[in-house]
Amino acid sequence: MAGKLGLGGGPGSGGVAVRFSPQPQVLEEGEGELAQVAGLADCWSMDPAAPGAARSAGQGQRDRLGPGLHRQRLVCGEKGGDAIGPNPTDRGRPGSKRHLLTDANGIPLALILTPANRHDSKLLEPLIDAVLPLQQCVGWPRKRPDKLHADKGYDFAHCRRALRRRKIEPRIARRGIDSSQRLGRHRWVVERTLAWFSRFRRLTVRYERRLDILTGFHLLAANLICLKFVKRWFW
Protein backbone atom coordinates (compact mmCIF):
# COMPACT_ATOMS: atom_id res chain seq x y z
CA MET A 1 0.00 0.00 0.00
CA ALA A 2 1.42 3.35 -1.00
CA GLY A 3 0.54 6.61 0.64
CA LYS A 4 1.66 10.17 1.12
CA LEU A 5 4.47 10.92 3.57
CA GLY A 6 4.11 14.14 5.52
CA LEU A 7 6.24 15.95 8.04
CA GLY A 8 4.97 16.96 11.45
CA GLY A 9 1.99 15.57 13.31
CA GLY A 10 0.47 16.12 16.69
CA PRO A 11 -0.20 13.65 19.47
CA GLY A 12 -1.72 10.41 18.29
CA SER A 13 -1.08 11.06 14.62
CA GLY A 14 1.53 8.35 14.31
CA GLY A 15 3.74 10.51 12.10
CA VAL A 16 7.42 11.25 12.33
CA ALA A 17 8.53 14.85 12.89
CA VAL A 18 12.05 16.18 12.37
CA ARG A 19 13.20 19.22 14.38
CA PHE A 20 16.32 21.30 13.76
CA SER A 21 18.37 23.03 16.41
CA PRO A 22 18.12 26.85 16.23
CA GLN A 23 21.89 27.27 16.75
CA PRO A 24 23.96 25.10 14.37
CA GLN A 25 27.15 23.73 15.88
CA VAL A 26 30.51 24.13 14.11
CA LEU A 27 32.97 21.28 14.46
CA GLU A 28 36.63 22.20 14.81
CA GLU A 29 39.16 20.94 12.35
CA GLY A 30 40.85 17.77 13.42
CA GLU A 31 37.92 16.13 15.09
CA GLY A 32 37.23 12.67 13.72
CA GLU A 33 34.12 11.16 12.27
CA LEU A 34 33.10 9.86 15.68
CA ALA A 35 32.80 13.40 16.96
CA GLN A 36 30.66 14.40 14.00
CA VAL A 37 28.35 11.50 14.54
CA ALA A 38 28.11 12.24 18.24
CA GLY A 39 27.23 15.85 17.47
CA LEU A 40 24.13 14.80 15.66
CA ALA A 41 22.48 14.01 18.95
CA ASP A 42 22.48 17.71 19.84
CA CYS A 43 21.02 19.10 16.61
CA TRP A 44 18.70 16.27 15.57
CA SER A 45 15.94 14.67 17.56
CA MET A 46 12.85 12.61 16.79
CA ASP A 47 9.38 12.36 18.29
CA PRO A 48 8.39 9.32 20.32
CA ALA A 49 7.62 6.11 18.51
CA ALA A 50 4.23 5.31 17.07
CA PRO A 51 1.62 4.08 19.57
CA GLY A 52 1.39 0.65 17.90
CA ALA A 53 4.44 -1.25 16.74
CA ALA A 54 4.42 -3.81 13.96
CA ARG A 55 3.83 -7.37 15.02
CA SER A 56 4.52 -10.65 13.30
CA ALA A 57 1.79 -12.69 11.64
CA GLY A 58 -0.01 -15.15 13.89
CA GLN A 59 -0.28 -18.87 13.43
CA GLY A 60 -2.15 -19.87 10.29
CA GLN A 61 -1.91 -16.38 8.79
CA ARG A 62 0.05 -14.99 5.88
CA ASP A 63 3.80 -14.55 6.18
CA ARG A 64 3.53 -10.77 6.38
CA LEU A 65 3.94 -8.17 9.09
CA GLY A 66 0.71 -6.68 10.34
CA PRO A 67 0.33 -3.27 12.00
CA GLY A 68 -0.15 -3.10 15.72
CA LEU A 69 -3.39 -1.11 15.48
CA HIS A 70 -6.40 -3.37 15.77
CA ARG A 71 -8.39 -1.50 13.13
CA GLN A 72 -5.83 -1.87 10.38
CA ARG A 73 -4.62 -4.93 8.55
CA LEU A 74 -2.50 -5.05 5.42
CA VAL A 75 -2.74 -8.29 3.44
CA CYS A 76 -2.14 -9.24 -0.15
CA GLY A 77 -5.12 -9.30 -2.52
CA GLU A 78 -6.80 -12.64 -2.89
CA LYS A 79 -8.02 -14.00 -6.20
CA GLY A 80 -11.43 -15.44 -6.84
CA GLY A 81 -14.90 -14.31 -5.89
CA ASP A 82 -18.53 -15.25 -6.17
CA ALA A 83 -19.86 -17.28 -9.14
CA ILE A 84 -16.43 -18.25 -10.49
CA GLY A 85 -15.52 -21.63 -11.95
CA PRO A 86 -13.07 -23.20 -14.40
CA ASN A 87 -13.86 -22.23 -17.96
CA PRO A 88 -13.90 -25.37 -20.16
CA THR A 89 -13.39 -23.27 -23.31
CA ASP A 90 -10.37 -21.36 -21.96
CA ARG A 91 -8.04 -24.09 -20.62
CA GLY A 92 -9.75 -24.19 -17.25
CA ARG A 93 -9.11 -20.59 -16.29
CA PRO A 94 -11.49 -19.19 -13.67
CA GLY A 95 -14.35 -17.14 -15.01
CA SER A 96 -18.07 -16.46 -15.11
CA LYS A 97 -20.77 -17.03 -17.71
CA ARG A 98 -23.67 -14.88 -18.89
CA HIS A 99 -27.00 -16.60 -19.49
CA LEU A 100 -29.11 -14.26 -21.60
CA LEU A 101 -32.67 -14.33 -22.91
CA THR A 102 -33.72 -11.81 -25.58
CA ASP A 103 -36.70 -11.14 -27.78
CA ALA A 104 -36.73 -11.36 -31.58
CA ASN A 105 -35.05 -7.94 -31.87
CA GLY A 106 -32.23 -8.71 -29.44
CA ILE A 107 -33.53 -6.70 -26.48
CA PRO A 108 -32.35 -8.36 -23.25
CA LEU A 109 -35.24 -9.72 -21.18
CA ALA A 110 -33.47 -11.77 -18.49
CA LEU A 111 -29.86 -12.18 -17.38
CA ILE A 112 -28.25 -14.60 -14.92
CA LEU A 113 -24.56 -14.88 -13.99
CA THR A 114 -23.11 -18.25 -13.00
CA PRO A 115 -19.68 -19.93 -12.83
CA ALA A 116 -18.15 -20.69 -16.20
CA ASN A 117 -18.51 -24.44 -15.75
CA ARG A 118 -22.29 -24.30 -15.20
CA HIS A 119 -24.19 -26.02 -18.03
CA ASP A 120 -26.58 -23.90 -20.08
CA SER A 121 -29.49 -26.32 -19.85
CA LYS A 122 -29.72 -25.93 -16.06
CA LEU A 123 -30.48 -22.22 -16.36
CA LEU A 124 -33.28 -22.45 -18.94
CA GLU A 125 -36.17 -22.50 -16.47
CA PRO A 126 -34.78 -19.73 -14.19
CA LEU A 127 -34.26 -17.53 -17.26
CA ILE A 128 -37.82 -17.99 -18.49
CA ASP A 129 -39.30 -17.42 -15.04
CA ALA A 130 -37.23 -14.23 -14.61
CA VAL A 131 -38.97 -12.48 -17.51
CA LEU A 132 -41.27 -9.70 -16.33
CA PRO A 133 -44.69 -9.13 -17.93
CA LEU A 134 -44.37 -7.04 -21.08
CA GLN A 135 -47.01 -4.50 -21.98
CA GLN A 136 -48.40 -5.01 -25.48
CA CYS A 137 -50.06 -2.49 -27.73
CA VAL A 138 -53.31 -4.41 -27.46
CA GLY A 139 -54.39 -6.84 -24.76
CA TRP A 140 -52.98 -7.94 -21.42
CA PRO A 141 -49.26 -7.88 -20.63
CA ARG A 142 -47.49 -11.01 -21.85
CA LYS A 143 -44.87 -12.98 -19.96
CA ARG A 144 -44.50 -16.08 -22.14
CA PRO A 145 -43.47 -16.05 -25.81
CA ASP A 146 -45.06 -18.26 -28.46
CA LYS A 147 -41.80 -20.06 -29.27
CA LEU A 148 -38.21 -20.12 -28.15
CA HIS A 149 -35.07 -20.67 -30.25
CA ALA A 150 -32.01 -22.20 -28.58
CA ASP A 151 -28.76 -23.86 -29.62
CA LYS A 152 -27.65 -27.46 -29.17
CA GLY A 153 -26.61 -26.83 -25.59
CA TYR A 154 -30.31 -26.96 -24.64
CA ASP A 155 -31.11 -30.15 -26.60
CA PHE A 156 -32.40 -32.15 -23.64
CA ALA A 157 -35.75 -33.72 -22.90
CA HIS A 158 -36.19 -31.85 -19.62
CA CYS A 159 -35.70 -28.51 -21.42
CA ARG A 160 -38.41 -29.34 -23.96
CA ARG A 161 -40.78 -30.49 -21.23
CA ALA A 162 -40.19 -27.30 -19.25
CA LEU A 163 -41.09 -25.20 -22.30
CA ARG A 164 -44.22 -27.20 -23.10
CA ARG A 165 -45.43 -26.89 -19.51
CA ARG A 166 -45.31 -23.14 -19.97
CA LYS A 167 -47.10 -23.38 -23.35
CA ILE A 168 -43.98 -22.37 -25.28
CA GLU A 169 -43.10 -24.12 -28.52
CA PRO A 170 -39.46 -25.30 -28.36
CA ARG A 171 -37.27 -24.59 -31.37
CA ILE A 172 -34.07 -26.18 -30.11
CA ALA A 173 -31.32 -27.37 -32.47
CA ARG A 174 -30.89 -31.14 -32.34
CA ARG A 175 -27.44 -32.58 -31.90
CA GLY A 176 -26.29 -34.67 -34.88
CA ILE A 177 -29.36 -33.81 -36.97
CA ASP A 178 -29.58 -30.08 -37.65
CA SER A 179 -26.82 -28.57 -39.75
CA SER A 180 -24.58 -25.98 -38.17
CA GLN A 181 -25.03 -23.73 -41.22
CA ARG A 182 -28.70 -23.12 -40.38
CA LEU A 183 -28.40 -22.68 -36.64
CA GLY A 184 -27.94 -18.90 -36.79
CA ARG A 185 -30.99 -18.01 -38.87
CA HIS A 186 -32.99 -16.94 -35.80
CA ARG A 187 -30.46 -16.95 -32.97
CA TRP A 188 -27.99 -14.46 -34.38
CA VAL A 189 -29.76 -11.70 -32.44
CA VAL A 190 -28.72 -13.35 -29.16
CA GLU A 191 -25.09 -13.55 -30.27
CA ARG A 192 -25.24 -9.91 -31.29
CA THR A 193 -26.56 -8.87 -27.89
CA LEU A 194 -23.81 -10.86 -26.17
CA ALA A 195 -21.31 -9.02 -28.36
CA TRP A 196 -22.83 -5.72 -27.21
CA PHE A 197 -22.22 -6.71 -23.61
CA SER A 198 -18.61 -7.50 -24.43
CA ARG A 199 -18.12 -4.01 -25.86
CA PHE A 200 -18.30 -2.57 -22.34
CA ARG A 201 -14.75 -2.62 -21.07
CA ARG A 202 -15.88 -3.11 -17.48
CA LEU A 203 -17.56 -6.39 -18.48
CA THR A 204 -14.92 -7.77 -20.84
CA VAL A 205 -12.66 -8.79 -17.95
CA ARG A 206 -14.12 -9.40 -14.51
CA TYR A 207 -12.60 -7.12 -11.87
CA GLU A 208 -15.23 -7.40 -9.12
CA ARG A 209 -15.15 -10.21 -6.58
CA ARG A 210 -18.68 -9.58 -5.35
CA LEU A 211 -21.48 -10.95 -7.49
CA ASP A 212 -23.95 -8.19 -6.64
CA ILE A 213 -21.60 -5.50 -7.96
CA LEU A 214 -20.97 -7.48 -11.15
CA THR A 215 -24.70 -8.00 -11.62
CA GLY A 216 -25.29 -4.29 -11.17
CA PHE A 217 -22.85 -3.46 -13.97
CA HIS A 218 -24.59 -5.98 -16.25
CA LEU A 219 -27.99 -4.47 -15.50
CA LEU A 220 -26.62 -1.02 -16.27
CA ALA A 221 -25.27 -2.31 -19.59
CA ALA A 222 -28.66 -3.90 -20.36
CA ASN A 223 -30.37 -0.56 -19.72
CA LEU A 224 -27.99 1.19 -22.11
CA ILE A 225 -28.71 -1.43 -24.77
CA CYS A 226 -32.45 -0.93 -24.32
CA LEU A 227 -31.95 2.82 -24.53
CA LYS A 228 -30.43 2.41 -28.00
CA PHE A 229 -33.60 0.72 -29.20
CA VAL A 230 -35.75 3.44 -27.67
CA LYS A 231 -33.74 6.15 -29.44
CA ARG A 232 -34.01 4.26 -32.70
CA TRP A 233 -37.80 3.94 -32.47
CA PHE A 234 -38.93 7.27 -31.05
CA TRP A 235 -36.14 9.80 -31.57
Side-chain angles (χ1 to χ4, degrees):
M1 178 180 293
K4 294 182 179 180
L5 179 63
L7 296 179
S13 64
V16 177
V18 180
R19 298 196 301 268
F20 295 91
S21 175
Q23 298 294 333
Q25 298 182 2
V26 180
L27 299 178
E28 299 180 359
E29 184 178 0
E31 295 183 357
E33 296 181 357
L34 294 178
Q36 299 181 12
V37 175
L40 294 178
D42 299 331
C43 60
W44 295 80
S45 62
M46 303 187 67
D47 278 354
R55 57 179 176 80
S56 59
Q59 185 177 3
Q61 300 179 356
R62 295 182 176 272
D63 187 15
R64 295 292 186 272
L65 291 178
L69 301 180
H70 66 281
R71 293 185 179 180
Q72 299 179 2
R73 182 167 182 81
L74 305 178
V75 297
C76 298
E78 298 180 357
K79 297 182 179 179
D82 301 329
I84 289 182
N87 190 351
T89 62
D90 194 13
R91 296 181 293 180
R93 296 180 180 178
S96 302
K97 180 188 292 187
R98 305 185 190 101
H99 301 267
L100 184 65
L101 180 64
T102 67
D103 65 351
N105 296 318
I107 300 177
L109 301 178
L111 175 69
I112 298 179
L113 301 177
T114 62
N117 57 345
R118 189 75 177 272
H119 201 274
D120 297 340
S121 60
K122 298 181 179 180
L123 273 298
L124 178 61
E125 295 186 56
L127 272 177
I128 298 175
D129 296 337
V131 178
L132 299 177
L134 302 178
Q135 182 66 44
Q136 305 293 320
C137 297
V138 179
W140 294 94
R142 297 189 56 184
K143 189 176 180 180
R144 299 284 187 264
D146 295 331
K147 57 184 178 179
L148 186 140
H149 293 268
D151 57 11
K152 296 181 180 181
Y154 299 90
D155 186 18
F156 294 94
H158 65 89
C159 293
R160 300 178 187 275
R161 289 194 301 265
L163 294 177
R164 292 191 178 98
R165 284 197 306 266
R166 294 167 173 82
K167 299 180 180 181
I168 302 175
E169 181 182 356
R171 294 292 182 87
I172 303 176
R174 296 167 293 180
R175 296 190 299 268
I177 299 178
D178 295 337
S179 175
S180 59
Q181 298 179 358
R182 301 180 57 185
L183 295 179
R185 294 178 57 184
H186 302 281
R187 294 184 300 99
W188 64 271
V189 292
V190 182
E191 303 297 337
R192 183 186 62 177
T193 306
L194 290 174
W196 286 343
F197 275 96
S198 299
R199 293 180 60 182
F200 295 94
R201 187 175 64 177
R202 191 72 179 184
L203 305 181
T204 303
V205 179
R206 177 171 178 176
Y207 298 97
E208 286 75 25
R209 297 181 57 189
R210 292 173 50 182
L211 181 60
D212 55 347
I213 298 179
L214 183 63
T215 304
F217 279 118
H218 278 80
L219 295 179
L220 179 60
N223 291 330
L224 294 177
I225 293 175
C226 295
L227 181 60
K228 292 183 179 181
F229 284 93
V230 174
K231 291 181 178 180
R232 185 185 307 173
W233 292 339
F234 300 101
W235 294 359

PDB file of all heavy atoms in Angstrom, residues 27-39:
ATOM      1  N   LEU A  27      31.955  22.217  13.993  1.00  0.00           N
ATOM      2  CA  LEU A  27      32.973  21.283  14.460  1.00  0.00           C
ATOM      3  C   LEU A  27      34.344  21.811  14.099  1.00  0.00           C
ATOM      4  O   LEU A  27      34.570  22.315  12.999  1.00  0.00           O
ATOM      5  CB  LEU A  27      32.748  19.903  13.820  1.00  0.00           C
ATOM      6  CG  LEU A  27      31.393  19.242  14.143  1.00  0.00           C
ATOM      7  CD1 LEU A  27      31.301  17.920  13.414  1.00  0.00           C
ATOM      8  CD2 LEU A  27      31.250  19.061  15.641  1.00  0.00           C
ATOM      9  N   GLU A  28      35.273  21.740  15.059  1.00  0.00           N
ATOM     10  CA  GLU A  28      36.630  22.199  14.812  1.00  0.00           C
ATOM     11  C   GLU A  28      37.384  21.210  13.938  1.00  0.00           C
ATOM     12  O   GLU A  28      37.087  20.014  13.899  1.00  0.00           O
ATOM     13  CB  GLU A  28      37.348  22.371  16.150  1.00  0.00           C
ATOM     14  CG  GLU A  28      36.696  23.404  17.059  1.00  0.00           C
ATOM     15  CD  GLU A  28      37.447  23.536  18.347  1.00  0.00           C
ATOM     16  OE1 GLU A  28      38.458  22.806  18.513  1.00  0.00           O
ATOM     17  OE2 GLU A  28      37.039  24.372  19.185  1.00  0.00           O
ATOM     18  N   GLU A  29      38.348  21.753  13.238  1.00  0.00           N
ATOM     19  CA  GLU A  29      39.157  20.938  12.350  1.00  0.00           C
ATOM     20  C   GLU A  29      39.996  19.964  13.164  1.00  0.00           C
ATOM     21  O   GLU A  29      40.552  20.315  14.187  1.00  0.00           O
ATOM     22  CB  GLU A  29      40.064  21.845  11.513  1.00  0.00           C
ATOM     23  CG  GLU A  29      40.869  21.073  10.481  1.00  0.00           C
ATOM     24  CD  GLU A  29      41.719  21.995   9.646  1.00  0.00           C
ATOM     25  OE1 GLU A  29      41.666  23.224   9.900  1.00  0.00           O
ATOM     26  OE2 GLU A  29      42.415  21.496   8.758  1.00  0.00           O
ATOM     27  N   GLY A  30      40.071  18.777  12.739  1.00  0.00           N
ATOM     28  CA  GLY A  30      40.851  17.770  13.422  1.00  0.00           C
ATOM     29  C   GLY A  30      40.016  16.759  14.172  1.00  0.00           C
ATOM     30  O   GLY A  30      40.531  15.721  14.577  1.00  0.00           O
ATOM     31  N   GLU A  31      38.756  17.091  14.418  1.00  0.00           N
ATOM     32  CA  GLU A  31      37.917  16.131  15.086  1.00  0.00           C
ATOM     33  C   GLU A  31      37.527  15.022  14.112  1.00  0.00           C
ATOM     34  O   GLU A  31      37.252  15.272  12.944  1.00  0.00           O
ATOM     35  CB  GLU A  31      36.664  16.811  15.633  1.00  0.00           C
ATOM     36  CG  GLU A  31      36.978  17.838  16.720  1.00  0.00           C
ATOM     37  CD  GLU A  31      35.744  18.436  17.294  1.00  0.00           C
ATOM     38  OE1 GLU A  31      34.657  18.093  16.797  1.00  0.00           O
ATOM     39  OE2 GLU A  31      35.851  19.242  18.237  1.00  0.00           O
ATOM     40  N   GLY A  32      37.496  13.814  14.577  1.00  0.00           N
ATOM     41  CA  GLY A  32      37.226  12.669  13.724  1.00  0.00           C
ATOM     42  C   GLY A  32      35.748  12.503  13.420  1.00  0.00           C
ATOM     43  O   GLY A  32      34.906  13.304  13.827  1.00  0.00           O
ATOM     44  N   GLU A  33      35.491  11.438  12.662  1.00  0.00           N
ATOM     45  CA  GLU A  33      34.116  11.162  12.268  1.00  0.00           C
ATOM     46  C   GLU A  33      33.256  10.794  13.464  1.00  0.00           C
ATOM     47  O   GLU A  33      32.062  11.042  13.472  1.00  0.00           O
ATOM     48  CB  GLU A  33      34.082  10.015  11.251  1.00  0.00           C
ATOM     49  CG  GLU A  33      34.786  10.362   9.952  1.00  0.00           C
ATOM     50  CD  GLU A  33      34.717   9.214   8.957  1.00  0.00           C
ATOM     51  OE1 GLU A  33      34.159   8.169   9.349  1.00  0.00           O
ATOM     52  OE2 GLU A  33      35.192   9.381   7.837  1.00  0.00           O
ATOM     53  N   LEU A  34      33.884  10.226  14.520  1.00  0.00           N
ATOM     54  CA  LEU A  34      33.096   9.859  15.683  1.00  0.00           C
ATOM     55  C   LEU A  34      32.516  11.094  16.361  1.00  0.00           C
ATOM     56  O   LEU A  34      31.385  11.076  16.857  1.00  0.00           O
ATOM     57  CB  LEU A  34      33.941   9.059  16.664  1.00  0.00           C
ATOM     58  CG  LEU A  34      34.399   7.679  16.192  1.00  0.00           C
ATOM     59  CD1 LEU A  34      35.256   7.021  17.253  1.00  0.00           C
ATOM     60  CD2 LEU A  34      33.180   6.805  15.872  1.00  0.00           C
ATOM     61  N   ALA A  35      33.291  12.172  16.362  1.00  0.00           N
ATOM     62  CA  ALA A  35      32.795  13.400  16.957  1.00  0.00           C
ATOM     63  C   ALA A  35      31.649  13.982  16.145  1.00  0.00           C
ATOM     64  O   ALA A  35      30.694  14.542  16.685  1.00  0.00           O
ATOM     65  CB  ALA A  35      33.930  14.415  17.087  1.00  0.00           C
ATOM     66  N   GLN A  36      31.738  13.894  14.834  1.00  0.00           N
ATOM     67  CA  GLN A  36      30.658  14.401  13.996  1.00  0.00           C
ATOM     68  C   GLN A  36      29.380  13.603  14.215  1.00  0.00           C
ATOM     69  O   GLN A  36      28.291  14.160  14.298  1.00  0.00           O
ATOM     70  CB  GLN A  36      31.078  14.346  12.533  1.00  0.00           C
ATOM     71  CG  GLN A  36      32.303  15.189  12.218  1.00  0.00           C
ATOM     72  CD  GLN A  36      32.668  15.115  10.758  1.00  0.00           C
ATOM     73  OE1 GLN A  36      31.887  14.620   9.961  1.00  0.00           O
ATOM     74  NE2 GLN A  36      33.851  15.597  10.407  1.00  0.00           N
ATOM     75  N   VAL A  37      29.528  12.319  14.307  1.00  0.00           N
ATOM     76  CA  VAL A  37      28.347  11.495  14.542  1.00  0.00           C
ATOM     77  C   VAL A  37      27.761  11.771  15.917  1.00  0.00           C
ATOM     78  O   VAL A  37      26.547  11.853  16.096  1.00  0.00           O
ATOM     79  CB  VAL A  37      28.708  10.005  14.387  1.00  0.00           C
ATOM     80  CG1 VAL A  37      27.523   9.123  14.760  1.00  0.00           C
ATOM     81  CG2 VAL A  37      29.167   9.725  12.969  1.00  0.00           C
ATOM     82  N   ALA A  38      28.623  11.955  16.908  1.00  0.00           N
ATOM     83  CA  ALA A  38      28.111  12.238  18.241  1.00  0.00           C
ATOM     84  C   ALA A  38      27.417  13.586  18.305  1.00  0.00           C
ATOM     85  O   ALA A  38      26.481  13.793  19.090  1.00  0.00           O
ATOM     86  CB  ALA A  38      29.254  12.174  19.259  1.00  0.00           C
ATOM     87  N   GLY A  39      27.863  14.539  17.481  1.00  0.00           N
ATOM     88  CA  GLY A  39      27.235  15.847  17.474  1.00  0.00           C
ATOM     89  C   GLY A  39      25.836  15.858  16.917  1.00  0.00           C
ATOM     90  O   GLY A  39      25.089  16.816  17.128  1.00  0.00           O
TER      91      GLY A  39
END
